[in-house]
Amino acid sequence: MTFSAEDILMMSKPGELFSDDPDIMRKEYKELAKAWHPDLNDAVSEANEVMTKINLLYLQCVNSIKTGRWEKPGFIKLFDKAGKAYEIRYLNSESFELGTMYIANSIVF
């Protein structure tokens, strides 16, 4: 999938740009770096800003996988200590003093 500079700059969650598979994620990062690295892309004035955003989202991806929590809008994937994955689609999320609350059709977690 090809993203414009505006699309990438508007993204707030790494799941909007990268997949949750570490091998695929690295390939996606390399492709994005080739397309948006400022040294390789003189024609686009915001290439530096876009590459900075890509790097930030990539680091968030790596941290999300390490902590066992993968999120993109409307979807969260949690991993227990044994590595079992739990995938949940949610309608809304709210941050509060203890963390984040996710509201789904039949549960709140």
Side-chain angles (χ1 to χ4, degrees), residues 11-57:
M11 293 177 181
S12 60
K13 298 189 185 293
E16 295 174 281
L17 188 60
F18 297 104
S19 67
D20 62 344
D21 181 287
D23 295 329
I24 294 171
M25 180 183 63
R26 280 195 263 334
K27 290 177 185 175
E28 292 169 339
Y29 175 77
K30 287 179 183 179
E31 289 175 17
L32 288 165
K34 286 178 187 175
W36 289 104
H37 196 281
D39 292 344
L40 303 173
N41 199 344
D42 295 333
V44 180
S45 60
E46 63 260 314
N48 191 31
E49 188 178 355
V50 171
M51 194 63 212
T52 301
K53 183 71 170 198
I54 290 168
N55 287 332
L56 175 69
L57 291 172

Side-chain angles (χ1 to χ4, degrees), residues 56-93:
L56 175 69
L57 291 172
Y58 180 74
L59 289 175
Q60 289 175 358
C61 278
V62 171
N63 289 334
S64 292
I65 290 171
K66 283 182 185 177
T67 60
R69 178 179 172 205
W70 180 259
E71 185 178 357
K72 60 184 179 181
F75 175 84
I76 187 167
K77 186 181 210 180
L78 304 169
F79 298 90
D80 65 14
K81 290 184 179 181
K84 184 177 178 184
Y86 299 91
E87 297 179 358
I88 302 163
R89 297 199 182 285
Y90 63 90
L91 302 172
N92 193 12
S93 66

